[in-house]
mmCIF file of all heavy atoms in Angstrom:
data_model
loop_
_atom_site.group_PDB
_atom_site.id
_atom_site.type_symbol
_atom_site.label_atom_id
_atom_site.label_comp_id
_atom_site.label_asym_id
_atom_site.label_seq_id
_atom_site.Cartn_x
_atom_site.Cartn_y
_atom_site.Cartn_z
ATOM 1 N N MET A 61 5.513 8.965 0.148
ATOM 2 C CA MET A 61 6.531 7.982 0.429
ATOM 3 C C MET A 61 7.894 8.635 0.194
ATOM 4 O O MET A 61 8.124 9.243 -0.842
ATOM 5 C CB MET A 61 6.321 6.774 -0.496
ATOM 6 C CG MET A 61 7.186 5.599 -0.164
ATOM 7 S SD MET A 61 6.918 4.152 -1.252
ATOM 8 C CE MET A 61 5.371 3.543 -0.648
ATOM 9 N N THR A 62 8.768 8.518 1.158
ATOM 10 C CA THR A 62 10.099 9.110 1.024
ATOM 11 C C THR A 62 10.994 8.224 0.151
ATOM 12 O O THR A 62 10.678 7.059 -0.097
ATOM 13 C CB THR A 62 10.771 9.282 2.394
ATOM 14 O OG1 THR A 62 11.042 7.979 2.933
ATOM 15 C CG2 THR A 62 9.904 10.081 3.355
ATOM 16 N N THR A 63 12.102 8.787 -0.269
ATOM 17 C CA THR A 63 13.055 8.030 -1.071
ATOM 18 C C THR A 63 13.547 6.806 -0.310
ATOM 19 O O THR A 63 13.676 5.719 -0.884
ATOM 20 C CB THR A 63 14.243 8.927 -1.481
ATOM 21 O OG1 THR A 63 13.732 10.046 -2.203
ATOM 22 C CG2 THR A 63 15.230 8.177 -2.345
ATOM 23 N N SER A 64 13.803 6.960 0.991
ATOM 24 C CA SER A 64 14.252 5.826 1.804
ATOM 25 C C SER A 64 13.185 4.741 1.881
ATOM 26 O O SER A 64 13.494 3.546 1.815
ATOM 27 C CB SER A 64 14.602 6.284 3.218
ATOM 28 O OG SER A 64 15.715 7.121 3.195
ATOM 29 N N GLU A 65 11.935 5.144 2.007
ATOM 30 C CA GLU A 65 10.840 4.176 2.050
ATOM 31 C C GLU A 65 10.724 3.440 0.716
ATOM 32 O O GLU A 65 10.508 2.222 0.692
ATOM 33 C CB GLU A 65 9.522 4.857 2.387
ATOM 34 C CG GLU A 65 9.432 5.349 3.812
ATOM 35 C CD GLU A 65 8.214 6.220 4.062
ATOM 36 O OE1 GLU A 65 7.761 6.917 3.128
ATOM 37 O OE2 GLU A 65 7.717 6.199 5.198
ATOM 38 N N ILE A 66 10.875 4.183 -0.373
ATOM 39 C CA ILE A 66 10.826 3.556 -1.702
ATOM 40 C C ILE A 66 11.973 2.563 -1.846
ATOM 41 O O ILE A 66 11.782 1.432 -2.304
ATOM 42 C CB ILE A 66 10.865 4.620 -2.812
ATOM 43 C CG1 ILE A 66 9.564 5.421 -2.811
ATOM 44 C CG2 ILE A 66 11.119 3.988 -4.180
ATOM 45 C CD1 ILE A 66 9.570 6.629 -3.722
ATOM 46 N N ARG A 67 13.153 2.970 -1.446
ATOM 47 C CA ARG A 67 14.326 2.093 -1.530
ATOM 48 C C ARG A 67 14.104 0.818 -0.730
ATOM 49 O O ARG A 67 14.344 -0.286 -1.217
ATOM 50 C CB ARG A 67 15.564 2.820 -1.028
ATOM 51 C CG ARG A 67 16.821 1.991 -1.093
ATOM 52 C CD ARG A 67 18.023 2.771 -0.537
ATOM 53 N NE ARG A 67 19.222 1.990 -0.596
ATOM 54 C CZ ARG A 67 19.568 1.081 0.316
ATOM 55 N NH1 ARG A 67 18.793 0.844 1.348
ATOM 56 N NH2 ARG A 67 20.683 0.406 0.199
ATOM 57 N N ASN A 68 13.623 0.956 0.496
ATOM 58 C CA ASN A 68 13.382 -0.213 1.339
ATOM 59 C C ASN A 68 12.304 -1.116 0.751
ATOM 60 O O ASN A 68 12.403 -2.342 0.800
ATOM 61 C CB ASN A 68 12.995 0.213 2.754
ATOM 62 C CG ASN A 68 14.157 0.826 3.503
ATOM 63 O OD1 ASN A 68 15.311 0.575 3.181
ATOM 64 N ND2 ASN A 68 13.849 1.640 4.488
ATOM 65 N N ARG A 69 11.280 -0.504 0.173
ATOM 66 C CA ARG A 69 10.205 -1.284 -0.450
ATOM 67 C C ARG A 69 10.735 -2.052 -1.659
ATOM 68 O O ARG A 69 10.387 -3.218 -1.860
ATOM 69 C CB ARG A 69 9.074 -0.339 -0.873
ATOM 70 C CG ARG A 69 7.845 -1.034 -1.305
ATOM 71 C CD ARG A 69 7.147 -1.702 -0.118
ATOM 72 N NE ARG A 69 6.020 -2.459 -0.611
ATOM 73 C CZ ARG A 69 5.850 -3.755 -0.402
ATOM 74 N NH1 ARG A 69 6.679 -4.414 0.359
ATOM 75 N NH2 ARG A 69 4.826 -4.382 -0.903
ATOM 76 N N LEU A 70 11.598 -1.419 -2.458
ATOM 77 C CA LEU A 70 12.181 -2.099 -3.614
ATOM 78 C C LEU A 70 13.066 -3.264 -3.182
ATOM 79 O O LEU A 70 13.050 -4.332 -3.807
ATOM 80 C CB LEU A 70 12.967 -1.112 -4.477
ATOM 81 C CG LEU A 70 12.131 -0.080 -5.223
ATOM 82 C CD1 LEU A 70 13.036 0.947 -5.884
ATOM 83 C CD2 LEU A 70 11.214 -0.744 -6.238
ATOM 84 N N ILE A 71 13.826 -3.082 -2.115
ATOM 85 C CA ILE A 71 14.668 -4.168 -1.596
ATOM 86 C C ILE A 71 13.799 -5.340 -1.157
ATOM 87 O O ILE A 71 14.083 -6.500 -1.466
ATOM 88 C CB ILE A 71 15.552 -3.658 -0.438
ATOM 89 C CG1 ILE A 71 16.618 -2.704 -0.975
ATOM 90 C CG2 ILE A 71 16.194 -4.815 0.319
ATOM 91 C CD1 ILE A 71 17.352 -1.927 0.098
ATOM 92 N N ASP A 72 12.711 -5.026 -0.443
ATOM 93 C CA ASP A 72 11.790 -6.065 0.017
ATOM 94 C C ASP A 72 11.161 -6.797 -1.169
ATOM 95 O O ASP A 72 11.111 -8.035 -1.194
ATOM 96 C CB ASP A 72 10.707 -5.438 0.900
ATOM 97 C CG ASP A 72 9.657 -6.448 1.320
ATOM 98 O OD1 ASP A 72 10.019 -7.446 1.975
ATOM 99 O OD2 ASP A 72 8.473 -6.244 0.979
ATOM 100 N N LEU A 73 10.696 -6.041 -2.151
ATOM 101 C CA LEU A 73 10.078 -6.658 -3.323
ATOM 102 C C LEU A 73 11.064 -7.529 -4.084
ATOM 103 O O LEU A 73 10.716 -8.605 -4.567
ATOM 104 C CB LEU A 73 9.499 -5.586 -4.246
ATOM 105 C CG LEU A 73 8.197 -4.952 -3.768
ATOM 106 C CD1 LEU A 73 7.879 -3.713 -4.602
ATOM 107 C CD2 LEU A 73 7.062 -5.955 -3.831
ATOM 108 N N HIS A 74 12.291 -7.069 -4.184
ATOM 109 C CA HIS A 74 13.321 -7.845 -4.886
ATOM 110 C C HIS A 74 13.491 -9.218 -4.244
ATOM 111 O O HIS A 74 13.497 -10.247 -4.931
ATOM 112 C CB HIS A 74 14.643 -7.078 -4.885
ATOM 113 C CG HIS A 74 15.736 -7.795 -5.583
ATOM 114 N ND1 HIS A 74 16.745 -8.418 -4.919
ATOM 115 C CD2 HIS A 74 15.966 -7.994 -6.903
ATOM 116 C CE1 HIS A 74 17.558 -8.977 -5.797
ATOM 117 N NE2 HIS A 74 17.102 -8.729 -7.011
ATOM 118 N N SER A 75 13.592 -9.256 -2.935
ATOM 119 C CA SER A 75 13.777 -10.546 -2.260
ATOM 120 C C SER A 75 12.530 -11.420 -2.384
ATOM 121 O O SER A 75 12.635 -12.640 -2.572
ATOM 122 C CB SER A 75 14.163 -10.357 -0.794
ATOM 123 O OG SER A 75 13.108 -9.773 -0.067
ATOM 124 N N ARG A 76 11.359 -10.808 -2.315
ATOM 125 C CA ARG A 76 10.122 -11.586 -2.448
ATOM 126 C C ARG A 76 9.943 -12.128 -3.865
ATOM 127 O O ARG A 76 9.469 -13.248 -4.050
ATOM 128 C CB ARG A 76 8.930 -10.731 -2.021
ATOM 129 C CG ARG A 76 8.964 -10.461 -0.513
ATOM 130 C CD ARG A 76 7.917 -9.477 -0.070
ATOM 131 N NE ARG A 76 6.580 -9.976 -0.359
ATOM 132 C CZ ARG A 76 5.499 -9.203 -0.337
ATOM 133 N NH1 ARG A 76 5.590 -7.920 -0.025
ATOM 134 N NH2 ARG A 76 4.321 -9.714 -0.597
ATOM 135 N N ILE A 77 10.348 -11.351 -4.870
ATOM 136 C CA ILE A 77 10.275 -11.817 -6.258
ATOM 137 C C ILE A 77 11.244 -12.973 -6.475
ATOM 138 O O ILE A 77 10.900 -13.976 -7.117
ATOM 139 C CB ILE A 77 10.535 -10.654 -7.239
ATOM 140 C CG1 ILE A 77 9.330 -9.699 -7.241
ATOM 141 C CG2 ILE A 77 10.834 -11.172 -8.643
ATOM 142 C CD1 ILE A 77 9.570 -8.392 -7.971
ATOM 143 N N ARG A 78 12.436 -12.865 -5.946
ATOM 144 C CA ARG A 78 13.411 -13.955 -6.074
ATOM 145 C C ARG A 78 12.880 -15.239 -5.453
ATOM 146 O O ARG A 78 13.009 -16.323 -6.013
ATOM 147 C CB ARG A 78 14.741 -13.568 -5.440
ATOM 148 C CG ARG A 78 15.500 -12.533 -6.258
ATOM 149 C CD ARG A 78 16.836 -12.229 -5.671
ATOM 150 N NE ARG A 78 17.658 -13.429 -5.706
ATOM 151 C CZ ARG A 78 18.854 -13.522 -5.155
ATOM 152 N NH1 ARG A 78 19.367 -12.499 -4.529
ATOM 153 N NH2 ARG A 78 19.539 -14.638 -5.234
ATOM 154 N N ARG A 79 12.267 -15.098 -4.271
ATOM 155 C CA ARG A 79 11.706 -16.261 -3.585
ATOM 156 C C ARG A 79 10.561 -16.877 -4.403
ATOM 157 O O ARG A 79 10.478 -18.102 -4.550
ATOM 158 C CB ARG A 79 11.199 -15.854 -2.193
ATOM 159 C CG ARG A 79 10.866 -17.018 -1.305
ATOM 160 C CD ARG A 79 10.520 -16.593 0.123
ATOM 161 N NE ARG A 79 11.402 -15.547 0.623
ATOM 162 C CZ ARG A 79 10.990 -14.361 1.073
ATOM 163 N NH1 ARG A 79 9.713 -14.064 1.123
ATOM 164 N NH2 ARG A 79 11.860 -13.468 1.517
ATOM 165 N N ALA A 80 9.702 -16.026 -4.949
ATOM 166 C CA ALA A 80 8.578 -16.522 -5.751
ATOM 167 C C ALA A 80 9.076 -17.212 -7.017
ATOM 168 O O ALA A 80 8.517 -18.230 -7.438
ATOM 169 C CB ALA A 80 7.632 -15.371 -6.096
ATOM 170 N N ARG A 81 10.120 -16.682 -7.630
ATOM 171 C CA ARG A 81 10.695 -17.329 -8.819
ATOM 172 C C ARG A 81 11.247 -18.700 -8.451
ATOM 173 O O ARG A 81 11.051 -19.681 -9.174
ATOM 174 C CB ARG A 81 11.808 -16.475 -9.420
ATOM 175 C CG ARG A 81 11.318 -15.325 -10.227
ATOM 176 C CD ARG A 81 12.484 -14.584 -10.833
ATOM 177 N NE ARG A 81 12.043 -13.412 -11.568
ATOM 178 C CZ ARG A 81 12.794 -12.347 -11.757
ATOM 179 N NH1 ARG A 81 14.023 -12.308 -11.290
ATOM 180 N NH2 ARG A 81 12.320 -11.322 -12.427
ATOM 181 N N HIS A 82 11.970 -18.748 -7.346
ATOM 182 C CA HIS A 82 12.556 -20.013 -6.894
ATOM 183 C C HIS A 82 11.468 -21.048 -6.638
ATOM 184 O O HIS A 82 11.622 -22.225 -6.967
ATOM 185 C CB HIS A 82 13.386 -19.779 -5.630
ATOM 186 C CG HIS A 82 14.018 -21.028 -5.102
ATOM 187 N ND1 HIS A 82 13.420 -21.806 -4.140
ATOM 188 C CD2 HIS A 82 15.183 -21.640 -5.429
ATOM 189 C CE1 HIS A 82 14.186 -22.847 -3.887
ATOM 190 N NE2 HIS A 82 15.270 -22.768 -4.650
ATOM 191 N N ASP A 83 10.352 -20.598 -6.065
ATOM 192 C CA ASP A 83 9.241 -21.495 -5.750
ATOM 193 C C ASP A 83 8.310 -21.721 -6.941
ATOM 194 O O ASP A 83 7.343 -22.491 -6.826
ATOM 195 C CB ASP A 83 8.423 -20.943 -4.586
ATOM 196 C CG ASP A 83 9.215 -20.877 -3.289
ATOM 197 O OD1 ASP A 83 10.248 -21.563 -3.186
ATOM 198 O OD2 ASP A 83 8.789 -20.132 -2.384
ATOM 199 N N ALA A 84 8.586 -21.074 -8.054
ATOM 200 C CA ALA A 84 7.747 -21.146 -9.258
ATOM 201 C C ALA A 84 6.300 -20.760 -8.938
ATOM 202 O O ALA A 84 5.352 -21.356 -9.434
ATOM 203 C CB ALA A 84 7.818 -22.530 -9.893
ATOM 204 N N ASP A 85 6.151 -19.726 -8.114
ATOM 205 C CA ASP A 85 4.826 -19.256 -7.687
ATOM 206 C C ASP A 85 4.381 -18.120 -8.610
ATOM 207 O O ASP A 85 4.619 -16.943 -8.347
ATOM 208 C CB ASP A 85 4.894 -18.789 -6.231
ATOM 209 C CG ASP A 85 3.547 -18.454 -5.641
ATOM 210 O OD1 ASP A 85 2.564 -18.351 -6.405
ATOM 211 O OD2 ASP A 85 3.481 -18.299 -4.412
ATOM 212 N N THR A 86 3.734 -18.483 -9.712
ATOM 213 C CA THR A 86 3.368 -17.486 -10.711
ATOM 214 C C THR A 86 2.323 -16.499 -10.184
ATOM 215 O O THR A 86 2.348 -15.329 -10.555
ATOM 216 C CB THR A 86 2.856 -18.150 -12.002
ATOM 217 O OG1 THR A 86 1.773 -19.021 -11.682
ATOM 218 C CG2 THR A 86 3.960 -18.942 -12.679
ATOM 219 N N GLU A 87 1.427 -16.952 -9.336
ATOM 220 C CA GLU A 87 0.422 -16.034 -8.781
ATOM 221 C C GLU A 87 1.097 -14.949 -7.939
ATOM 222 O O GLU A 87 0.781 -13.759 -8.067
ATOM 223 C CB GLU A 87 -0.598 -16.796 -7.944
ATOM 224 C CG GLU A 87 -1.723 -15.914 -7.450
ATOM 225 C CD GLU A 87 -2.800 -16.691 -6.723
ATOM 226 O OE1 GLU A 87 -2.934 -17.907 -6.958
ATOM 227 O OE2 GLU A 87 -3.500 -16.065 -5.920
ATOM 228 N N ALA A 88 2.033 -15.349 -7.105
ATOM 229 C CA ALA A 88 2.764 -14.371 -6.294
ATOM 230 C C ALA A 88 3.562 -13.421 -7.178
ATOM 231 O O ALA A 88 3.642 -12.223 -6.892
ATOM 232 C CB ALA A 88 3.691 -15.077 -5.304
ATOM 233 N N LEU A 89 4.147 -13.939 -8.253
ATOM 234 C CA LEU A 89 4.905 -13.089 -9.166
ATOM 235 C C LEU A 89 4.024 -12.011 -9.789
ATOM 236 O O LEU A 89 4.451 -10.868 -9.933
ATOM 237 C CB LEU A 89 5.580 -13.912 -10.258
ATOM 238 C CG LEU A 89 6.835 -14.664 -9.820
ATOM 239 C CD1 LEU A 89 7.263 -15.650 -10.901
ATOM 240 C CD2 LEU A 89 7.950 -13.689 -9.507
ATOM 241 N N HIS A 90 2.805 -12.353 -10.148
ATOM 242 C CA HIS A 90 1.878 -11.365 -10.720
ATOM 243 C C HIS A 90 1.555 -10.281 -9.696
ATOM 244 O O HIS A 90 1.563 -9.090 -10.018
ATOM 245 C CB HIS A 90 0.591 -12.033 -11.197
ATOM 246 C CG HIS A 90 0.758 -12.868 -12.414
ATOM 247 N ND1 HIS A 90 1.110 -12.353 -13.640
ATOM 248 C CD2 HIS A 90 0.637 -14.202 -12.597
ATOM 249 C CE1 HIS A 90 1.197 -13.331 -14.523
ATOM 250 N NE2 HIS A 90 0.912 -14.461 -13.913
ATOM 251 N N VAL A 91 1.296 -10.686 -8.464
ATOM 252 C CA VAL A 91 0.973 -9.730 -7.403
ATOM 253 C C VAL A 91 2.171 -8.829 -7.115
ATOM 254 O O VAL A 91 2.042 -7.608 -7.008
ATOM 255 C CB VAL A 91 0.517 -10.466 -6.120
ATOM 256 C CG1 VAL A 91 0.388 -9.512 -4.951
ATOM 257 C CG2 VAL A 91 -0.798 -11.198 -6.369
ATOM 258 N N LEU A 92 3.349 -9.427 -7.006
ATOM 259 C CA LEU A 92 4.554 -8.664 -6.702
ATOM 260 C C LEU A 92 4.935 -7.727 -7.847
ATOM 261 O O LEU A 92 5.396 -6.608 -7.603
ATOM 262 C CB LEU A 92 5.713 -9.611 -6.374
ATOM 263 C CG LEU A 92 5.545 -10.405 -5.081
ATOM 264 C CD1 LEU A 92 6.591 -11.508 -4.998
ATOM 265 C CD2 LEU A 92 5.605 -9.496 -3.864
ATOM 266 N N THR A 93 4.739 -8.169 -9.063
ATOM 267 C CA THR A 93 5.010 -7.313 -10.214
ATOM 268 C C THR A 93 4.093 -6.098 -10.219
ATOM 269 O O THR A 93 4.532 -4.975 -10.496
ATOM 270 C CB THR A 93 4.868 -8.106 -11.527
ATOM 271 O OG1 THR A 93 5.772 -9.209 -11.492
ATOM 272 C CG2 THR A 93 5.173 -7.249 -12.732
ATOM 273 N N ALA A 94 2.832 -6.304 -9.883
ATOM 274 C CA ALA A 94 1.890 -5.181 -9.802
ATOM 275 C C ALA A 94 2.314 -4.207 -8.698
ATOM 276 O O ALA A 94 2.269 -2.989 -8.884
ATOM 277 C CB ALA A 94 0.480 -5.695 -9.541
ATOM 278 N N GLU A 95 2.756 -4.731 -7.573
ATOM 279 C CA GLU A 95 3.227 -3.876 -6.479
ATOM 280 C C GLU A 95 4.485 -3.121 -6.897
ATOM 281 O O GLU A 95 4.644 -1.936 -6.598
ATOM 282 C CB GLU A 95 3.485 -4.710 -5.231
ATOM 283 C CG GLU A 95 4.012 -3.927 -4.057
ATOM 284 C CD GLU A 95 3.055 -2.875 -3.517
ATOM 285 O OE1 GLU A 95 1.838 -2.952 -3.803
ATOM 286 O OE2 GLU A 95 3.515 -1.966 -2.811
ATOM 287 N N LEU A 96 5.381 -3.790 -7.592
ATOM 288 C CA LEU A 96 6.595 -3.144 -8.089
ATOM 289 C C LEU A 96 6.237 -1.991 -9.023
ATOM 290 O O LEU A 96 6.808 -0.902 -8.920
ATOM 291 C CB LEU A 96 7.470 -4.170 -8.819
ATOM 292 C CG LEU A 96 8.745 -3.651 -9.460
ATOM 293 C CD1 LEU A 96 9.690 -3.063 -8.427
ATOM 294 C CD2 LEU A 96 9.429 -4.774 -10.226
ATOM 295 N N ASP A 97 5.277 -2.205 -9.902
ATOM 296 C CA ASP A 97 4.827 -1.141 -10.806
ATOM 297 C C ASP A 97 4.297 0.057 -10.030
ATOM 298 O O ASP A 97 4.584 1.203 -10.373
ATOM 299 C CB ASP A 97 3.748 -1.653 -11.758
ATOM 300 C CG ASP A 97 4.297 -2.598 -12.813
ATOM 301 O OD1 ASP A 97 5.528 -2.607 -13.036
ATOM 302 O OD2 ASP A 97 3.487 -3.329 -13.412
ATOM 303 N N ARG A 98 3.530 -0.200 -8.958
ATOM 304 C CA ARG A 98 2.995 0.897 -8.144
ATOM 305 C C ARG A 98 4.115 1.695 -7.468
ATOM 306 O O ARG A 98 4.083 2.928 -7.439
ATOM 307 C CB ARG A 98 2.016 0.363 -7.086
ATOM 308 C CG ARG A 98 0.665 -0.014 -7.655
ATOM 309 C CD ARG A 98 -0.339 -0.311 -6.560
ATOM 310 N NE ARG A 98 -0.027 -1.528 -5.833
ATOM 311 C CZ ARG A 98 -0.432 -2.745 -6.172
ATOM 312 N NH1 ARG A 98 -1.162 -2.919 -7.256
ATOM 313 N NH2 ARG A 98 -0.115 -3.789 -5.435
ATOM 314 N N VAL A 99 5.100 0.984 -6.933
ATOM 315 C CA VAL A 99 6.209 1.663 -6.257
ATOM 316 C C VAL A 99 7.008 2.489 -7.268
ATOM 317 O O VAL A 99 7.364 3.643 -6.990
ATOM 318 C CB VAL A 99 7.119 0.652 -5.525
ATOM 319 C CG1 VAL A 99 8.373 1.318 -4.993
ATOM 320 C CG2 VAL A 99 6.349 -0.025 -4.389
ATOM 321 N N LEU A 100 7.264 1.921 -8.436
ATOM 322 C CA LEU A 100 8.009 2.663 -9.456
ATOM 323 C C LEU A 100 7.216 3.864 -9.968
ATOM 324 O O LEU A 100 7.800 4.919 -10.230
ATOM 325 C CB LEU A 100 8.391 1.731 -10.611
ATOM 326 C CG LEU A 100 9.453 0.689 -10.269
ATOM 327 C CD1 LEU A 100 9.623 -0.279 -11.429
ATOM 328 C CD2 LEU A 100 10.768 1.334 -9.891
ATOM 329 N N ASP A 101 5.905 3.723 -10.091
ATOM 330 C CA ASP A 101 5.072 4.859 -10.486
ATOM 331 C C ASP A 101 5.158 5.976 -9.447
ATOM 332 O O ASP A 101 5.276 7.152 -9.804
ATOM 333 C CB ASP A 101 3.612 4.437 -10.662
ATOM 334 C CG ASP A 101 3.376 3.649 -11.934
ATOM 335 O OD1 ASP A 101 4.253 3.670 -12.827
ATOM 336 O OD2 ASP A 101 2.314 3.002 -12.024
ATOM 337 N N THR A 102 5.126 5.605 -8.173
ATOM 338 C CA THR A 102 5.245 6.598 -7.095
ATOM 339 C C THR A 102 6.587 7.311 -7.181
ATOM 340 O O THR A 102 6.664 8.536 -7.088
ATOM 341 C CB THR A 102 5.104 5.916 -5.718
ATOM 342 O OG1 THR A 102 3.816 5.304 -5.636
ATOM 343 C CG2 THR A 102 5.275 6.907 -4.580
ATOM 344 N N TYR A 103 7.640 6.548 -7.381
ATOM 345 C CA TYR A 103 8.977 7.125 -7.500
ATOM 346 C C TYR A 103 9.051 8.101 -8.683
ATOM 347 O O TYR A 103 9.548 9.220 -8.553
ATOM 348 C CB TYR A 103 10.006 6.004 -7.666
ATOM 349 C CG TYR A 103 11.391 6.499 -7.965
ATOM 350 C CD1 TYR A 103 12.173 7.073 -6.970
ATOM 351 C CD2 TYR A 103 11.927 6.406 -9.247
ATOM 352 C CE1 TYR A 103 13.450 7.536 -7.237
ATOM 353 C CE2 TYR A 103 13.201 6.871 -9.523
ATOM 354 C CZ TYR A 103 13.952 7.433 -8.516
ATOM 355 O OH TYR A 103 15.211 7.896 -8.797
ATOM 356 N N ASN A 104 8.533 7.669 -9.822
ATOM 357 C CA ASN A 104 8.575 8.525 -11.021
ATOM 358 C C ASN A 104 7.730 9.775 -10.842
ATOM 359 O O ASN A 104 8.126 10.861 -11.288
ATOM 360 C CB ASN A 104 8.136 7.742 -12.249
ATOM 361 C CG ASN A 104 9.185 6.755 -12.694
ATOM 362 O OD1 ASN A 104 10.374 6.998 -12.540
ATOM 363 N ND2 ASN A 104 8.754 5.631 -13.231
ATOM 364 N N GLN A 105 6.591 9.674 -10.204
ATOM 365 C CA GLN A 105 5.755 10.850 -9.948
ATOM 366 C C GLN A 105 6.486 11.841 -9.055
ATOM 367 O O GLN A 105 6.436 13.046 -9.291
ATOM 368 C CB GLN A 105 4.438 10.436 -9.289
ATOM 369 C CG GLN A 105 3.480 9.776 -10.226
ATOM 370 C CD GLN A 105 2.256 9.229 -9.509
ATOM 371 O OE1 GLN A 105 2.163 9.273 -8.290
ATOM 372 N NE2 GLN A 105 1.314 8.704 -10.268
ATOM 373 N N GLN A 106 7.170 11.340 -8.043
ATOM 374 C CA GLN A 106 7.915 12.227 -7.153
ATOM 375 C C GLN A 106 9.062 12.901 -7.883
ATOM 376 O O GLN A 106 9.329 14.082 -7.672
ATOM 377 C CB GLN A 106 8.440 11.446 -5.940
ATOM 378 C CG GLN A 106 7.361 11.087 -4.970
ATOM 379 C CD GLN A 106 7.883 10.337 -3.767
ATOM 380 O OE1 GLN A 106 9.071 10.042 -3.663
ATOM 381 N NE2 GLN A 106 6.994 10.020 -2.852
ATOM 382 N N ARG A 107 9.734 12.175 -8.743
ATOM 383 C CA ARG A 107 10.824 12.771 -9.524
ATOM 384 C C ARG A 107 10.296 13.872 -10.422
ATOM 385 O O ARG A 107 10.896 14.934 -10.545
ATOM 386 C CB ARG A 107 11.532 11.711 -10.378
ATOM 387 C CG ARG A 107 12.442 10.833 -9.587
ATOM 388 C CD ARG A 107 13.162 9.913 -10.502
ATOM 389 N NE ARG A 107 13.681 10.698 -11.615
ATOM 390 C CZ ARG A 107 14.810 10.471 -12.245
ATOM 391 N NH1 ARG A 107 15.534 9.450 -11.917
ATOM 392 N NH2 ARG A 107 15.220 11.228 -13.227
ATOM 393 N N ASN A 108 9.160 13.611 -11.070
ATOM 394 C CA ASN A 108 8.572 14.611 -11.966
ATOM 395 C C ASN A 108 8.095 15.815 -11.183
ATOM 396 O O ASN A 108 8.226 16.954 -11.657
ATOM 397 C CB ASN A 108 7.423 13.999 -12.766
ATOM 398 C CG ASN A 108 7.912 12.978 -13.777
ATOM 399 O OD1 ASN A 108 9.076 12.967 -14.140
ATOM 400 N ND2 ASN A 108 7.025 12.120 -14.190
ATOM 401 N N THR A 109 7.555 15.616 -10.013
ATOM 402 C CA THR A 109 7.068 16.712 -9.170
ATOM 403 C C THR A 109 8.231 17.580 -8.684
ATOM 404 O O THR A 109 8.106 18.793 -8.595
ATOM 405 C CB THR A 109 6.293 16.158 -7.952
ATOM 406 O OG1 THR A 109 5.200 15.387 -8.437
ATOM 407 C CG2 THR A 109 5.781 17.264 -7.080
ATOM 408 N N ASN A 110 9.351 16.939 -8.397
ATOM 409 C CA ASN A 110 10.509 17.669 -7.874
ATOM 410 C C ASN A 110 11.362 18.302 -8.947
ATOM 411 O O ASN A 110 12.394 18.883 -8.665
ATOM 412 C CB ASN A 110 11.375 16.736 -7.008
ATOM 413 C CG ASN A 110 10.668 16.303 -5.746
ATOM 414 O OD1 ASN A 110 9.805 17.016 -5.240
ATOM 415 N ND2 ASN A 110 11.009 15.148 -5.243
ATOM 416 N N GLY A 111 10.960 18.164 -10.193
ATOM 417 C CA GLY A 111 11.683 18.829 -11.276
ATOM 418 C C GLY A 111 12.966 18.157 -11.679
ATOM 419 O O GLY A 111 13.829 18.765 -12.294
ATOM 420 N N THR A 112 13.138 16.874 -11.352
ATOM 421 C CA THR A 112 14.351 16.161 -11.713
ATOM 422 C C THR A 112 14.085 15.205 -12.855
ATOM 423 O O THR A 112 14.705 14.174 -12.977
ATOM 424 C CB THR A 112 14.922 15.384 -10.506
ATOM 425 O OG1 THR A 112 13.904 14.500 -10.025
ATOM 426 C CG2 THR A 112 15.380 16.323 -9.427
ATOM 427 N N ARG A 113 13.144 15.551 -13.685
ATOM 428 C CA ARG A 113 12.791 14.691 -14.812
ATOM 429 C C ARG A 113 13.941 14.604 -15.798
ATOM 430 O O ARG A 113 14.561 15.594 -16.159
ATOM 431 C CB ARG A 113 11.561 15.270 -15.492
ATOM 432 C CG ARG A 113 11.001 14.372 -16.536
ATOM 433 C CD ARG A 113 9.722 14.970 -17.054
ATOM 434 N NE ARG A 113 9.135 14.039 -18.007
ATOM 435 C CZ ARG A 113 8.057 14.295 -18.679
ATOM 436 N NH1 ARG A 113 7.417 15.421 -18.518
ATOM 437 N NH2 ARG A 113 7.580 13.418 -19.524
ATOM 438 N N THR A 114 14.215 13.383 -16.247
ATOM 439 C CA THR A 114 15.292 13.195 -17.232
ATOM 440 C C THR A 114 14.739 12.649 -18.512
ATOM 441 O O THR A 114 13.707 12.071 -18.566
ATOM 442 C CB THR A 114 16.371 12.226 -16.710
ATOM 443 O OG1 THR A 114 15.767 11.005 -16.322
ATOM 444 C CG2 THR A 114 17.124 12.843 -15.580
#
């Protein structure tokens, strides 16, 4: 996944999480949170692989 793809995925997840919060949809929030964790893990793995670990 490229940085642009990760960025776009995070933007999408952000809007979906906001919508789920507004709708008080706890099941959707759990699913979206798990997806957010996966995207962030991918991002962190790529950073570590590229030697930009902080």
Side-chain angles (χ1 to χ4, degrees):
M61 189 179 285
T62 67
T63 302
S64 294
E65 290 171 329
I66 291 171
R67 181 182 180 277
N68 290 337
R69 190 70 185 123
L70 291 172
I71 290 168
D72 176 60
L73 285 168
H74 180 255
S75 66
R76 291 172 61 195
I77 288 169
R78 288 184 64 186
R79 192 173 318 123
R81 282 183 183 153
H82 180 267
D83 296 341
D85 188 348
T86 55
E87 185 175 336
L89 283 169
H90 289 295
V91 171
L92 293 168
T93 302
E95 178 64 19
L96 177 62
D97 289 342
R98 284 190 291 272
V99 172
L100 290 173
D101 285 344
T102 299
Y103 173 75
N104 287 328
Q105 286 173 355
Q106 287 181 358
R107 284 184 47 146
N108 291 341
T109 301
N110 293 333
T112 57
R113 188 175 184 183
T114 55

